[in-house]
Amino acid sequence: MTRSEQFRKILKTKGRVLLAGAHDALSAKLIEEAGFDAVWASSFGISASSKCLPDANVLTMTEALEAVKGMNEAISIPLIADCDNGYGNAINVIRMTREYERAGVAGISIEDNPFPKKCSLYPGERQELVDIDEMAGRIHAAKSTQRTKDFFVIARTEALIAGLGLDEAFARARAYEEAGADAILIHSRQPVPDEIRAFAARWKARRDGRAVPLVAVPTKYPGISSKELAKIGIPIVIFANQALRASVVAMKETLSEMKRLDRIGPVDKKVAPLSEIFRLVGQPMMEENEKRFVKNFKKAPSAVIVAAGFEENLWPLNSERPKAMLEIRGKSILERQRDLLRRAGIERIAVVTGYKREKVSLPQVQIYPNANYRTTGSLHSLFCAEEEARGKFVFLYGDVLFEEHVLEKLLKSKADVTLAVKRPLGSDGSKPERDLVVLRGPAGQEEIAAIGHQLGHSEANGEFMGLALFSKRGAQSLREIYESLSRKNGHSRFHNAPNLRSAQFTDMIQEMLARKHKVHAVCLSGGWLDIETFEDYRKAWQEVKA
């Protein structure tokens, strides 16, 4: 069913239609959710909100149409577009009708003001109207141009606004009806609806009994309800600009209070929560579509960065923010990781936070909290973002800096589980700070034989760099083992950890090795630095480029 058919069906079945004026797509959405029958795309509202300009044909038809398209696409109820005077004579109306009907709106409203117009409610305005025949020609042009029979054309007369009297208003309305108008909008700016009542009574008393419906905009006589207007013979009522005016009051009050108090806290409870804006603009649906059509079909892996822990040996550097957010030459560690991952084509990046998690605010990353970061290890943090580890993914610690070639070489691996390993051990003269590994196999085909900080320097020949790659099958094996361990012996000792919850990522790698899973290694001699100590942080400032 088209929007035009919807509009006519509402009018026929309910006997009346109540519209509210929208100035943009968001206000149109709110009108729909408030339960109105249809939306009035107000030229007054569009001019004010989109360009902060008066309602005087300053905006072009194309600019107004673009705003109307946005409104119509945001809602599922009918929309009637306020098209002023048709943007010119009948020739302009022909093009305007084609464009608006093509946009899918239910209908349009055309008034008998000259071009350019001035808003009929501006104080002191007493402008001349176009003659009856010219306005009838506009209506006839619109009705002759429309391609679908249900497209709704409202003819609006400003005769009462212009002070021309009831007889002139009636004559114009009859002429516009004969030209094909589907409804007549009779406008008034008197503070009481007396002349509207008189016009409606005369229109209803016509002898032929075939009068098209009337439309009213009670902006200047707000005391009357739409039900009362329906009773006197006006079934279509438009509350035209109240949403715009309400938003101005709310914004002025909020902005004034924020400026006066120099903070946003006091107004936070008075404004809509971000989650409500996300809902209105369709963010949950976008996430669902992303899950269906992007994540499920995307070949590039996701990334999970575990950055939940608190390191006492970096105090007070990390007194106000977690280690991953420490700045190094203008960018935090986490920003550098994100940028490098994105350059490698990895768009879906998850960060598991814990200590000072409110300080981790970074565009283009998904945040997963680990509320138990003080009593859990990096393995538990990884599974806080389990949904990101259901396909091919990169695992990395949140305190690791690495060069692009390190990630590029890791991503080329075809194995199910691959770890980046620094080899030879201690080649730069520094003592390894993280987990050691025992490698076996020829150069270029190394596999991990053992991993963990329990290994001695004499038996180890490499150091885990804090980066790993899992294929989809490798990720599935990882999850199956973790789930099995969680069910059976989650509280028992697990390799180097007292229990599974406090286990590190490398404990799980050792478990995979114990279960005969192959874990391959990509060996590199440099291009990597982890931030474990003050000396590491100082070194990073010396070695990292701005």
Side-chain angles (χ1 to χ4, degrees):
M1 183 182 293
T2 66
R3 301 290 176 89
S4 302
E5 290 173 319
Q6 276 183 266
F7 187 83
R8 289 181 181 273
K9 184 178 180 181
I10 294 168
L11 182 58
K12 182 178 180 180
T13 56
K14 290 182 63 175
R16 62 190 185 94
V17 182
L18 181 59
L19 300 87
H23 50 276
D24 57 16
L26 184 59
S27 58
K29 183 72 174 178
L30 291 171
I31 288 166
E32 179 179 21
E33 292 200 349
F36 285 85
D37 300 310
V39 168
W40 171 255
S42 163
S43 65
F44 173 87
I46 292 169
S47 296
S49 64
S50 65
K51 300 292 183 181
C52 199
L53 289 172
D55 183 21
N57 281 138
V58 180
L59 264 64
T60 65
M61 184 205 77
T62 304
E63 289 175 305
L65 178 59
E66 198 61 32
V68 169
K69 284 180 178 178
M71 296 182 199
N72 200 51
E73 290 168 4
I75 59 176
S76 59
I77 59 176
L79 178 146
I80 301 293
D82 178 8
C83 294
D84 295 333
N85 41 32
Y87 303 98
N89 62 18
I91 303 304
N92 302 92
V93 168
I94 289 171
R95 178 179 178 237
M96 181 269 293
T97 302
R98 287 174 179 164
E99 295 295 333
Y100 275 81
E101 187 178 20
R102 188 179 294 121
V105 302
I108 55 176
S109 173
I110 309 171
E111 64 199 44
D112 49 12
N113 271 317
F115 183 89
K117 62 161 279 187
K118 289 185 179 179
C119 176
S120 56
L121 299 181
Y122 285 163
E125 287 296 330
R126 282 291 186 271
Q127 60 192 28
E128 295 295 324
L129 306 184
V130 299
D131 63 46
I132 292 178
D133 290 340
E134 180 178 341
M135 177 59 182
R138 293 177 184 175
I139 299 300
H140 185 58
K143 293 304 294 181
S144 299
T145 301
Q146 70 183 62
R147 290 185 170 88
T148 57
K149 64 181 180 65
D150 292 309
F151 191 68
F152 205 85
V153 177
I154 298 174
R156 168 173 163 173
T157 179
E158 305 280 278
L160 297 178
I161 296 283
L164 300 179
L166 192 62
D167 289 344
E168 178 70 10
F170 192 82
R172 284 176 173 267
R174 286 299 305 270
Y176 305 160
E177 179 188 41
E178 289 172 4
D182 296 298
I184 300 296
L185 194 162
I186 180 67
H187 209 11
S188 170
R189 60 177 175 186
Q190 294 299 313
V192 290
D194 291 350
E195 58 184 3
I196 292 293
R197 290 179 189 275
F199 184 94
R202 186 169 174 180
W203 190 256
K204 191 176 182 180
R206 281 172 49 189
R207 292 179 182 179
D208 56 31
R210 296 196 303 270
V212 298
L214 295 179
V215 185
V217 184
T219 304
K220 285 293 186 176
Y221 45 98
I224 193 168
S225 69
S226 66
K227 289 182 180 179
E228 291 173 306
L229 286 167
K231 285 180 181 179
I232 66 171
I234 305 179
I236 304 173
V237 178
I238 303 168
F239 296 163
N241 49 49
Q242 286 70 27
L244 171 67
R245 291 154 60 192
S247 68
V248 170
V249 171
M251 285 191 286
K252 287 177 70 174
E253 289 179 354
T254 301
L255 292 168
S256 176
E257 190 169 0
M258 288 191 297
K259 179 64 172 64
R260 180 172 57 83
L261 299 175
D262 193 31
R263 68 190 69 241
I264 61 175
V267 305
D268 210 37
K269 293 182 180 180
K270 301 178 184 179
V271 300
L274 282 173
S275 58
E276 174 63 1
I277 306 301
F278 297 157
R279 183 191 68 80
L280 285 168
V281 301
Q283 186 265 348
M285 182 180 292
M286 183 193 73
E287 291 288 336
E288 181 61 31
N289 287 336
E290 183 183 42
K291 184 177 180 180
R292 289 180 61 196
F293 304 120
V294 180
K295 288 168 63 178
N296 291 352
F297 293 91
K298 198 167 186 177
K299 293 182 179 180
S302 59
V304 178
I305 303 172
V306 293
F310 167 73
E311 291 79 10
E312 292 183 358
N313 57 345
L314 275 174
W315 188 269
L317 272 181
N318 57 351
S319 61
E320 297 297 327
R321 51 188 170 177
K323 181 164 62 172
M325 295 304 292
L326 290 179
E327 181 189 332
I328 299 173
R329 293 191 179 275
K331 280 189 176 183
S332 67
I333 298 171
L334 193 56
E335 282 180 288
R336 293 181 176 278
Q337 291 180 325
R338 178 204 61 186
D339 293 349
L340 200 151
L341 289 164
R342 288 178 62 82
R343 287 201 297 272
I346 300 174
E347 300 286 342
R348 184 68 181 184
I349 303 170
V351 180
V352 182
T353 60
Y355 170 70
K356 297 286 183 182
R357 63 177 180 266
E358 71 279 1
K359 300 294 185 180
V360 181
S361 178
L362 201 62
Q364 301 166 324
V365 301
Q366 181 72 31
I367 302 297
Y368 290 86
N370 177 2
N372 301 308
Y373 69 92
R374 292 189 181 276
T375 58
T376 58
S378 56
L379 181 60
H380 180 82
S381 285
L382 168 59
F383 279 90
C384 288
E386 182 180 358
E387 67 180 86
E388 307 296 340
R390 294 189 173 277
K392 185 178 181 181
F393 78 98
V394 175
F395 168 89
L396 59 157
Y397 292 132
D399 58 359
V400 175
L401 293 172
F402 50 92
E403 295 177 8
E404 202 158 344
H405 72 90
V406 174
L407 183 59
E408 287 177 353
K409 190 169 183 180
L410 179 66
L411 291 174
K412 289 178 181 178
S413 174
K414 303 298 183 183
D416 287 332
V417 184
T418 308
L419 271 56
V421 175
K422 179 183 175 184
R423 187 180 188 187
L425 186 60
S427 60
D428 62 357
S430 64
K431 181 179 178 181
E433 297 289 345
R434 217 184 271 280
D435 292 289
L436 304 180
V437 298
V438 175
L439 297 167
R440 65 184 177 199
Q445 302 177 39
E446 294 96 338
E447 293 182 6
I448 308 290
I451 187 169
H453 61 259
Q454 81 285 357
L455 296 172
H457 291 184
S458 58
E459 55 184 321
N461 54 359
E463 181 181 357
F464 177 47
M465 295 171 67
L467 290 92
L469 174 67
F470 290 82
S471 70
K472 185 175 182 179
R473 188 166 66 175
Q476 182 179 352
S477 298
L478 177 74
R479 292 196 313 275
E480 289 174 351
I481 295 172
Y482 186 80
E483 289 168 4
S484 172
L485 291 166
S486 298
R487 288 192 302 267
K488 293 179 180 179
N489 60 345
H491 300 289
S492 304
R493 183 164 189 83
F494 184 66
H495 296 286
N496 292 307
N499 52 56
L500 188 64
R501 282 176 60 82
S502 59
Q504 301 303 320
F505 171 77
T506 49
D507 291 313
M508 176 57 80
I509 298 299
Q510 185 59 47
E511 178 66 19
M512 296 185 83
L513 293 172
R515 296 184 181 219
K516 307 302 182 185
H517 287 269
K518 287 187 176 182
V519 179
H520 291 253
V522 166
C523 296
L524 302 109
S525 59
W528 160 79
L529 177 67
D530 64 338
I531 313 298
E532 287 285 301
T533 64
F534 276 103
E535 179 60 26
D536 294 331
Y537 188 60
R538 185 190 63 79
K539 185 177 180 181
W541 268 89
Q542 292 175 340
E543 297 185 4
V544 172
K545 294 180 180 179

